[in-house]
Amino acid sequence: MPESIPQDSVGLVQPRTLHVDQSLELECGRVLPAYDLVYETYGTLNADASNAVLICHALSGHHHAAGYHGPDDKRPGWWDNCIGPGKPIDTNRFFVVCPNNLGGCHGSSGPTSTNPETGQPWGPDFPMMTVKDWVKSQTRLADALGIAQWAAVVGGSLGGMQAMQWAIDFPERLRHSVVIAGAPKLSAQNIAFNEVARQSILTDPHFHGGRYYLHDTYPRQGLILARMVGHITYLSDDAMRMKFGRDLRSGRFHFGFDVEFQVESYLRHQGETFSRNFDANTYLLMTKALDYFDPAREYDHSLEKAMEQTRCNFLVMSFNSDWRFAPERSREIVNALVQAGRDVSYAEIDTPKGHDAFLLPIPEYTKLFSAYMGRVAGEVAAHV
Amino acid sequence: MSERDELRLISDWIPQGATVLDLGCGDGALLARLRDERAVTGYGLEIDQDNLAACFEKGVNVIEQDLDKGLGNFQSERFDYVIMTQALQAVLRPDAILDEMLRVGREAIITFPNFGYWRIRAYLGFKGRMPVSSALPYEWYDTPNIHLCTVADFQAHCRRNDIRIIERTVVNRQHRSGALTRLWPNFFGEIAVYRVTR
């Protein structure tokens, strides 16, 4: 944590846990009889509970979206750039809720939590989750918090997919859906990258069929590789060129396979840090949830028909250097909404930062995001 | 003619509850007005980030899209009206965008500065310099207006391409459509406003 908490930070925050005793029927056909959802909230819920914003996290995200857990935290929550007093999701005006998704590894029920039937960690037996399942589980959190309708459901990447699914599955429960750096479904190339990541974990000798907890080990190398390949897709060619170029760590060639180029050093560092903080089974599950996401599938493969279910306003934003979920993918969402006659606005941010741009404080992005959320907050005020 | 007069003129032509696509919608003033006064639904297209932000704040649907890349993402006859104010002269192919407007909309409403206006003729005729005026405030080297035309040019284009002019209002500097602008619009009209269909 910085020496003093910045003015525009939500400050010190604490996660809470909701235990849900109601069973959850999943798309895969299995049922979770009960589950825990860990979540954080920032800001204050107003009297008629009309100022609540749900934040949905992406592949490797969690419930800690903003602020600090304690004085030893080196960094704030993952979306601190966008959540806080005076930031696009202004905690002076909104009550912000961010849960950790089921199947995660940060406190919500998932592969690392205990399977009540066996007393052992769920591991690979934890049911496969889909975006639809997550959204359904999040409605229970909304119920528990007394939120009948979100002012907005907001997310980037896989989080944006949840914001979209909310609008399709529970049209009356949100007024705005904000879909940033998203896609209406994964392309073959997207799935291919996920499959490389999965194979690197699945073939790690320490994976033990997903029961590595019992062997007191974990597929470290597999996770490192998975994250390395993933990370390449989060950055753009230009971003990598600007950040690393062909810079050498020691200034000369060593004619060997140790780290020589700065980009190698960076990727290994990212992979290693990630492997210490993330569960392999969760990573496998999350990438599958991405692959399965295709809301049009339920509607004769017509995204337009899927969007006809929605009632809320949409904001769709993309980044021109994002090649993981390129602007064309966001435009597919926009076009389907236009065809369905739904309210939608779209902005394409000019930045070299690639897919990761949605997490970064890019002035143009912040300005547009703030302008839109300011309108959402204005409607809440008028609504009271 | 001030922008507000132009917006009033256009909104008078749009019936209650119509669907509209506004090409180069600026800060969304027209769409907001049509929404509030006529319960019109629709979208604006815009590329300027400040304008996008202004539309977001007004609660106007705006889609970032470059008009020069066409309207291929919109289905035919998706809208009752496709509007383009003061932008025809700034696109790469005015003829192509006009065709697209009449494909996507049942009718199109277009406004543009009339290059045949007598003051512009006089400016060029007597000064021998590219005209600069309140309606055309740019120098020749930095103007976005790359395809200026006159009332006569536009009407000739419509005739050649089977575009039917439903309504025309040509106004002078005092925002009036008087006897002179009606008699000789290409000479006395500063701004031309057309409603056309195919």
Side-chain angles (χ1 to χ4, degrees):
Chain A
M1 199 172 87
E3 284 193 10
S4 64
I5 290 172
Q7 284 279 305
D8 61 354
S9 167
V10 297
L12 285 174
V13 295
Q14 272 191 329
R16 271 175 278 183
T17 302
L18 173 75
H19 179 73
V20 182
D21 257 330
Q22 195 186 351
S23 65
L24 188 71
E25 281 184 36
L26 304 169
E27 253 196 297
C28 64
R30 293 173 61 188
V31 177
L32 261 187
Y35 56 92
D36 285 343
L37 279 180
V38 62
Y39 66 99
E40 285 182 5
T41 70
Y42 323 110
T44 312
L45 188 64
N46 63 6
D48 65 348
S50 63
N51 70 332
V53 171
L54 177 70
I55 308 293
C56 303
H57 71 70
L59 179 62
S60 58
H62 43 68
H63 55 286
H64 183 38
Y68 300 86
H69 282 158
D72 298 333
D73 284 8
K74 285 200 192 89
R75 285 197 287 170
W78 57 269
W79 220 9
D80 199 87
N81 285 322
C82 292
I83 304 168
K87 292 179 182 173
I89 301 166
D90 189 341
T91 48
N92 289 330
R93 308 179 81 178
F94 292 118
F95 176 65
V96 180
V97 181
C98 183
N100 179 214
N101 284 343
L102 285 175
C105 53
H106 293 89
S108 291
S109 300
T112 53
S113 46
T114 305
N115 179 351
E117 279 178 27
T118 62
Q120 301 285 342
W122 280 95
D125 300 330
F126 194 81
M128 203 67 96
M129 288 286 153
T130 65
V131 169
K132 212 174 161 66
D133 296 331
W134 283 333
V135 166
K136 207 201 247 176
S137 73
Q138 289 159 3
T139 63
R140 309 270 172 84
L141 177 60
D143 295 343
L145 295 170
I147 297 158
Q149 188 183 57
W150 300 100
V153 177
V154 182
S157 192
L158 177 57
M161 294 170 177
Q162 291 163 64
M164 225 183 302
Q165 193 78 53
W166 260 96
I168 296 166
D169 287 356
F170 300 96
E172 306 301 336
R173 295 203 70 172
L174 69 167
R175 293 193 291 280
H176 293 268
S177 169
V178 180
V179 182
I180 307 170
K185 61 186 173 200
L186 264 62
S187 66
Q189 190 194 44
N190 294 147
I191 295 170
F193 274 113
N194 281 345
E195 175 59 4
V196 173
R198 282 191 294 267
Q199 283 304 322
S200 65
I201 290 170
L202 293 167
T203 57
D204 185 312
H206 296 287
F207 183 64
H208 297 288
R211 297 187 199 282
Y212 43 88
Y213 319 102
L214 303 177
H215 298 77
D216 205 22
T217 181
Y218 68 101
R220 178 174 168 273
Q221 207 51 48
L223 266 170
I224 290 175
L225 273 179
R227 185 59 172 181
M228 282 169 82
V229 73
H231 210 92
I232 295 168
T233 69
Y234 305 151
L235 302 178
S236 71
D237 190 17
D238 277 346
M240 281 186 144
R241 185 170 17 249
M242 281 189 285
K243 202 164 178 172
F244 313 107
R246 291 177 48 85
D247 293 353
L248 294 163
R249 273 227 303 195
S250 68
R252 63 183 189 88
F253 290 168
H254 290 277
F255 300 100
F257 297 114
D258 277 344
V259 167
E260 289 189 85
F261 291 94
Q262 288 291 8
V263 64
E264 296 173 312
S265 161
Y266 173 82
L267 279 181
R268 287 191 196 192
H269 173 75
Q270 289 293 327
E272 267 162 31
T273 310
F274 185 76
S275 74
R276 284 196 297 273
N277 299 308
F278 211 84
D279 177 65
N281 283 317
T282 289
Y283 199 82
L284 293 173
L285 182 152
M286 296 270 173
T287 58
K288 285 304 273 191
L290 269 168
D291 292 0
Y292 291 138
F293 179 70
D294 180 8
R297 207 161 170 268
E298 272 185 86
Y299 299 93
D300 306 329
H301 294 277
S302 159
L303 190 59
E304 182 188 333
K305 273 193 197 162
M307 291 310 190
E308 277 169 9
Q309 312 304 311
T310 69
R311 293 290 173 271
C312 65
N313 292 272
F314 284 81
L315 170 64
V316 179
M317 285 196 281
S318 70
F319 302 94
N320 64 349
S321 55
D322 182 353
W323 59 280
R324 184 183 173 88
F325 297 143
E328 292 73 37
R329 310 308 314 282
S330 283
R331 272 191 241 116
E332 287 173 39
I333 300 168
V334 173
N335 291 340
L337 285 164
V338 168
Q339 275 316 315
R342 295 298 177 261
D343 287 310
V344 56
S345 284
Y346 171 66
E348 192 175 311
I349 313 295
D350 183 17
T351 169
K353 299 287 185 186
H355 186 61
D356 263 358
F358 84 89
L359 297 165
L360 302 174
I362 296 162
E364 201 179 310
Y365 168 47
T366 306
K367 181 176 83 177
L368 288 169
F369 200 177
S370 296
Y372 193 89
M373 293 310 292
R375 168 211 171 180
V376 176
E379 289 169 0
V380 170
H383 186 260
V384 172
Chain B
M1 186 164 71
S2 74
E3 202 185 314
R4 201 186 312 164
D5 293 316
E6 196 172 307
L7 298 193
R8 185 178 312 137
L9 231 165
I10 293 168
S11 55
D12 284 348
W13 281 353
I14 310 266
Q16 196 76 17
T19 55
V20 162
L21 182 68
D22 186 2
L23 310 185
C25 67
D27 64 3
L30 176 65
L31 283 169
R33 185 190 178 115
L34 290 171
R35 175 196 61 198
D36 298 340
E37 293 181 358
R38 319 245 147 169
V40 159
T41 56
Y43 310 86
L45 303 188
E46 185 50 64
I47 47 171
D48 179 78
Q49 298 279 343
D50 290 327
N51 280 334
L52 289 169
C55 290
F56 285 5
E57 280 159 11
K58 284 191 182 75
V60 163
N61 293 327
V62 62
I63 294 166
E64 182 166 348
Q65 186 167 332
D66 184 351
L67 301 183
D68 286 328
K69 291 184 179 155
L71 305 175
N73 52 322
F74 296 102
Q75 281 186 359
S76 297
E77 296 187 34
R78 168 68 180 77
F79 299 97
D80 296 324
Y81 296 90
V82 181
I83 302 171
M84 187 159 66
T85 57
Q86 304 288 337
L88 186 70
Q89 74 281 0
V91 298
L92 280 180
R93 286 300 297 265
D95 56 338
I97 196 83
L98 206 51
D99 284 343
E100 276 290 84
M101 289 172 77
L102 290 169
R103 176 184 66 80
V104 170
R106 288 193 300 107
E107 293 183 8
I109 294 172
I110 296 135
T111 79
F112 59 87
N114 173 29
F115 208 69
Y117 180 51
W118 70 269
R119 281 176 188 272
I120 289 177
R121 296 188 195 204
Y123 200 110
L124 186 62
F126 292 112
K127 286 197 179 174
R129 305 272 307 269
M130 283 302 283
V132 177
S133 69
S134 57
L136 296 167
Y138 300 96
E139 293 289 349
W140 61 271
Y141 47 82
D142 65 1
T143 182
N145 301 322
I146 52 176
H147 287 120
L148 288 157
C149 71
T150 69
V151 163
D153 287 328
F154 184 78
Q155 294 191 178
H157 178 79
C158 290
R159 264 197 310 278
R160 268 200 309 275
N161 294 279
D162 300 319
I163 297 170
R164 189 163 64 81
I165 296 168
I166 304 169
E167 226 168 330
R168 178 188 77 190
T169 304
V170 178
V171 290
N172 65 10
R173 187 167 271 210
Q174 282 75 42
H175 331 135
R176 279 192 215 111
S177 170
L180 283 176
T181 56
R182 274 195 293 274
L183 190 69
W184 196 0
N186 199 28
F187 195 79
F188 290 109
E190 191 170 11
I191 303 282
V193 188
Y194 282 89
R195 188 153 68 91
V196 297
T197 190
R198 203 159 235 158

